[in-house]
Amino acid sequence: MASALRLMPSTATRLRFRPRLSFSTAASLFSPPSKAVLYDQHGPPDQVLRVEDVPPVELGERGVCVKMLAAPINPSDINRVQGVYPVRPPLPAAVAGYEGVAQVHAVGPAVTRPLSPGDWVIPSPPSFGTWQTYIVKPEDVWHKVRDDVPVEYAATVTVNPLTALRMLQDFVKLKPGDAVVQNGSTSIVGQCVIQLAKVQGIRTINIIRDRPGSEEAKEKLKQLGADEVFTESQLDVKNVKSLLGALPEPALGFNCVGGNAASLILKLLRQGGTMVTYGGMSKKPVTVSTSSFIFKDLSLRGFWLQKWMNSDKSEECRTMIDYLLGLVHEGKLKYEMELTPFSEFSMALDKALGKHGSQPKQVLRF
């Protein structure tokens, strides 16, 4: 068996050609050995996840081997391991992780896409199993992305920024000067909503929890472009819309919390407005008054990015990813993250699980 092809150029000397292998050698082209985060059963992530060596994988004719550069630990990744997310990889020996950025390591001899060793790629739509050092998947899984942005942004561009962009575009036709309202505003989706709305000339009204450091959180959101930021208790008044000042009543609201935080969005929405729910961090239900339906004619919708991406929208998804990374490159889209070496996976997982208090999003650096 021939040894694995090891093309690992630096960024400065990145190769710009694709090796052409004869058909007779295709069967012997394998990935390097890899380390992966595996689990055999669902349960608490800190109990069921393990880091383990995995053997080389054959590329085949149209396979592409990539070396992972970075991958985030998203709440949905945790939920998949726990077994509570609607779509999960098959067990046993499931590899955790769903999005990330990689560098092309080698390509099969019949690959037709313009992919060369050294190129940055992401799985688009996202694909199970990104928490491992090397991955082999068919060529159509991979989307080439620009390599002049910080690696953590390329690793996280799909799930959160794309959710924010789709919600701003898919439910209400907004025009410059319109306003949206959201809870969970300090989340990465919330931060992206603020910045993407600003690019489009849309005003944002943002709701955050009452907690120590709320004034500092308000200032950070305003630096991103937020027009107004309120704590939940500030909105606990009879004439809540008087707090908006010159801002228009919002036509669209985004709810990722539920409970009272969702009710506050409904109070602020204008006649005929729409609230989109994309999460439920408080684990409390959305409660709607009868008058909200009868007298305000409000609409309640839901958004799940994975369903949208699975509905034959792969090319549209890739176009939007390129747009979002362009904004990152221009300095118009940013959010707080922490890169942690893959060798310190247990520490990154503990931070993502909240064992060390409030922490930035954890991104594994391979």
Side-chain angles (χ1 to χ4, degrees), residues 207-337:
I207 304 170
I208 63 174
R209 290 180 297 150
D210 290 275
R211 61 177 181 179
S214 59
E215 290 303 315
E216 181 184 351
K218 286 182 182 182
E219 184 57 33
K220 285 184 177 180
L221 294 182
K222 288 190 175 182
Q223 288 176 3
L224 293 178
D227 291 282
E228 290 288 354
V229 186
F230 300 104
T231 61
E232 292 183 26
S233 62
Q234 285 181 294
L235 297 176
D236 189 19
V237 295
K238 187 172 183 180
N239 186 14
V240 68
K241 291 183 180 179
S242 65
L243 299 175
L244 300 183
L247 287 176
E249 294 181 62
L252 180 62
F254 303 132
N255 165 49
C256 68
V257 178
N260 180 61
S263 300
L264 292 173
I265 288 178
L266 296 173
K267 287 172 66 176
L268 285 164
L269 284 174
R270 75 184 186 193
Q271 181 82 16
T274 298
M275 183 174 78
V276 180
T277 292
Y278 67 99
M281 291 190 295
S282 72
K283 299 183 179 179
K284 295 179 181 178
V286 174
T287 303
V288 188
S289 67
T290 303
S291 62
S292 294
F293 285 124
I294 296 177
F295 303 118
K296 291 187 69 176
D297 192 24
L298 298 183
S299 298
L300 304 184
R301 301 287 301 276
F303 181 78
W304 183 28
L305 182 67
Q306 185 163 336
K307 180 180 179 182
W308 181 87
M309 289 190 297
N310 289 341
S311 58
D312 195 28
K313 300 221 180 251
S314 60
E315 287 306 315
E316 188 177 353
C317 175
R318 293 176 176 192
T319 299
M320 288 183 293
I321 284 169
D322 293 341
Y323 166 73
L324 290 166
L325 288 177
L327 293 179
V328 171
H329 184 258
E330 295 170 11
K332 297 178 179 178
L333 184 63
K334 55 188 177 181
Y335 39 89
E336 188 178 5
M337 294 171 281

Side-chain angles (χ1 to χ4, degrees), residues 66-105:
V66 304
K67 180 185 184 300
M68 289 303 298
L69 298 176
I73 302 178
N74 288 320
S76 55
D77 295 320
I78 301 299
N79 293 156
R80 286 187 179 90
V81 175
Q82 293 167 332
V84 298
Y85 204 74
V87 179
R88 305 178 293 273
L91 300 175
V95 181
Y98 186 60
E99 70 171 332
V101 64
Q103 189 175 53
V104 175
H105 178 73

Side-chain angles (χ1 to χ4, degrees), residues 18 31 34 57-72 95-108 111-146 154-155 157-158 314-315 317-319 321-322 325 366:
R18 180 168 65 249
S31 71
S34 183
V57 176
E58 184 178 353
L59 268 70
E61 290 219 335
R62 304 184 75 90
V64 175
C65 173
V66 304
K67 180 185 184 300
M68 289 303 298
L69 298 176
V95 181
Y98 186 60
E99 70 171 332
V101 64
Q103 189 175 53
V104 175
H105 178 73
V107 299
V111 168
T112 59
R113 289 179 177 265
L115 297 174
S116 301
D119 287 343
W120 280 21
V121 292
I122 63 172
S124 180
S127 181
F128 297 132
T130 57
W131 295 359
Q132 59 183 319
T133 51
Y134 288 91
I135 301 175
V136 174
K137 288 186 182 288
E139 61 175 314
D140 58 0
V141 167
W142 303 108
H143 173 54
K144 182 178 176 180
V145 297
R146 62 193 305 158
V157 68
T158 302
S314 60
E315 287 306 315
C317 175
R318 293 176 176 192
T319 299
I321 284 169
D322 293 341
L325 288 177
F366 294 89

Side-chain angles (χ1 to χ4, degrees), residues 1-8 21 25 28-34 55-59 65 105-106 134 136:
M1 180 182 296
S3 62
L5 181 62
R6 296 177 181 273
L7 295 174
M8 293 297 294
L21 304 173
T25 64
S28 61
L29 183 60
F30 282 72
S31 71
S34 183
V57 176
E58 184 178 353
L59 268 70
C65 173
H105 178 73
Y134 288 91
V136 174

